[in-house]
């Protein structure tokens, strides 16, 4: 049996995370910690470390990555990990977390071929209560042994969650089975799901769309979903005064949605790096990994101009989320 199908392997992950929490390291526990702990458990269970790969190119969503691939080329298993930071007044909205969690089920389901698709989800009790209540309001149930995401139910999700998933992905009927669940302690719980492949696969999952998305409230300039052909990015890493002046401003109606996704991506990026600064290139890469529908030029303009508190006066700053502290170096404003 493939080692990732053995519940004892995941129990080893639970045991290691439990030690971290017991030893006072809860504040350093990130999604990358979860991925490394799982990789180590896989190796200890018999997986070949040389056949483990991180950030595996997604076979369908261009520019997107899968957290972990097991088994070489082609991989025998693809694994997505999710450990959301609890939303509060300083980070992503709850509805954004809802969209990010659900999207991983879709991202795995559309992977073609005879590969196992695993979604590994670590959540706090507070987040679990929110997710249970939120999904049940829309006819879904994440706290169940079988997950069913039906298009007629997903379409009614809040606009932020629907936009993150994207109309093309949400059009699929996705199912998954919970194969393991265990409490780390009184606050954290680990769940592992085996996501079923799509059968049959709709053409929209593999063919780039040519018309705007029908998701209500989605900005018109991001109507194409994650497979959209992206605009070329600016060649200069640092957006100085002359570069910012030459950028095409992002439409006002688009800014708020892009801002929310960018802030979530930055915070996840900083969580993994345990750092405080980032570059526009890192934000673009993280947005791609998350399967964004926004063009690279839009992301860069938002980071270096509209969201930067100390951008040049002609940059059209509309938010004060970020601060430029050096050549091509930014941070979230204290």
């Amino acid at each position: 049996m493939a080692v990732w199908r053995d519940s004892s392997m995941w129990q080893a992950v639970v045991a290691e995370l439990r030690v971290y929490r017991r030893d006072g390291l809860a504040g350093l526990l990130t999604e990358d910690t979860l991925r490394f702990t799982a990789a180590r458990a896989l190796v200890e269970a018999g997986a070949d470390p040389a056949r483990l790969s991180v950030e595996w190119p997604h076979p369908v969503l261009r520019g997107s990555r899968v957290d972990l691939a097991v088994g070489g080329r082609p991989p025998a298993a693809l694994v997505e990990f999710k450990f959301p930071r609890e939303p509060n007044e300083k980070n992503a909205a709850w509805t954004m977390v809802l969209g990010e969690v659900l999207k991983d089920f879709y991202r795995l389901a559309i992977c073609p071929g005879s590969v196992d698709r695993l979604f590994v989800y670590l959540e706090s009790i507070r987040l679990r209560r929110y997710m249970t209540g939120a999904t049940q309001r829309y006819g879904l149930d994440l706290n169940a042994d079988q997950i069913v995401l039906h298009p007629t139910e997903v379409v009614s999700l809040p606009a932020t969650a629907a936009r993150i998933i994207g109309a093309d992905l949400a059009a699929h009927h996705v199912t998954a089975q919970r194969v393991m669940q265990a409490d780390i302690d009184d606050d954290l719980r680990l769940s592992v799901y085996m996501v079923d492949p799509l059968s049959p696969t709709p053409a929209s999952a593999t063919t780039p769309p040519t018309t705007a998305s029908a998701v209500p409230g989605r900005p018109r300039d991001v109507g194409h979903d994650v497979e959209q052909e992206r605009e070329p990015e600016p060649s200069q890493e640092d957006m100085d005064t002359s570069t910012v002046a030459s950028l095409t401003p992002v439409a006002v109606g688009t800014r708020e949605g892009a801002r929310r996704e960018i802030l979530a991506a930055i915070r996840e990026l900083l969580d993994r790096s345990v750092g405080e600064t980032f570059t526009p290139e890192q934000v673009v890469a993280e947005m791609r990994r998350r399967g964004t529908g926004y063009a690279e030029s839009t992301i860069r303009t938002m980071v270096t101009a509209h969201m930067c508190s100390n951008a040049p006066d002609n940059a059209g700053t509309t938010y004060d989320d970020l601060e430029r502290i050096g050549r091509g170096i930014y941070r979230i404003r204290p």
Side-chain angles (χ1 to χ4, degrees), residues 100-271:
E100 294 287 353
V101 170
L102 293 177
K103 186 172 184 175
D104 273 353
F105 284 101
Y106 289 96
R107 283 165 41 85
L108 288 167
I110 66 173
C111 292
S114 56
V115 59
D116 284 343
R117 306 157 183 82
L118 291 92
F119 177 53
V120 182
Y121 182 37
L122 187 60
E123 61 178 345
S124 68
I125 189 170
R126 182 167 175 250
L127 181 58
R128 183 162 66 251
R129 287 170 179 163
Y130 164 76
M131 296 291 279
T132 299
T135 53
Q136 287 178 350
R137 283 198 298 272
Y138 299 100
L140 307 172
D141 188 2
L142 286 184
N143 191 26
D145 289 333
Q146 183 175 34
I147 305 298
V148 179
L149 302 178
H150 195 278
T152 58
E153 296 161 344
V154 175
V155 74
S156 65
L157 289 173
T160 299
R163 182 171 57 246
I164 288 172
I165 297 169
D168 283 355
L169 291 181
H172 294 296
H173 183 198
V174 172
T175 58
Q177 319 301 319
R178 186 167 60 192
V179 296
M180 198 283 289
Q181 184 176 83
D183 290 337
I184 308 297
D185 52 26
D186 291 340
D187 184 51
L188 282 186
R189 173 179 291 177
L190 183 73
S191 300
V192 180
Y193 299 88
M194 189 75 72
V195 181
D196 300 320
L198 296 179
S199 181
T201 302
S204 60
T206 56
T207 304
T210 57
T211 58
S213 166
V215 175
R218 186 180 179 106
R220 291 185 61 84
D221 74 332
V222 293
H224 297 302
D225 201 6
V226 290
E227 296 91 346
Q228 174 188 16
E229 182 177 354
R230 294 174 172 85
E231 301 174 24
E233 63 184 54
S235 59
Q236 183 178 356
E237 173 181 308
D238 179 48
M239 295 298 180
D240 58 15
T241 303
S242 61
T243 305
V244 170
S246 68
L247 290 173
T248 301
V250 178
V252 174
T254 301
R255 293 178 191 175
E256 185 57 36
R259 174 190 178 228
R260 287 193 296 265
E261 285 195 31
I262 289 169
L263 284 175
I266 290 172
R267 289 187 175 101
E268 187 168 333
L269 177 67
L270 296 181
D271 278 351

Side-chain angles (χ1 to χ4, degrees), residues 41-58:
L42 283 164
V43 172
E44 290 178 352
D48 182 355
R51 295 167 69 83
L52 300 181
S53 301
V54 298
E55 304 299 326
W56 183 267
H58 196 286

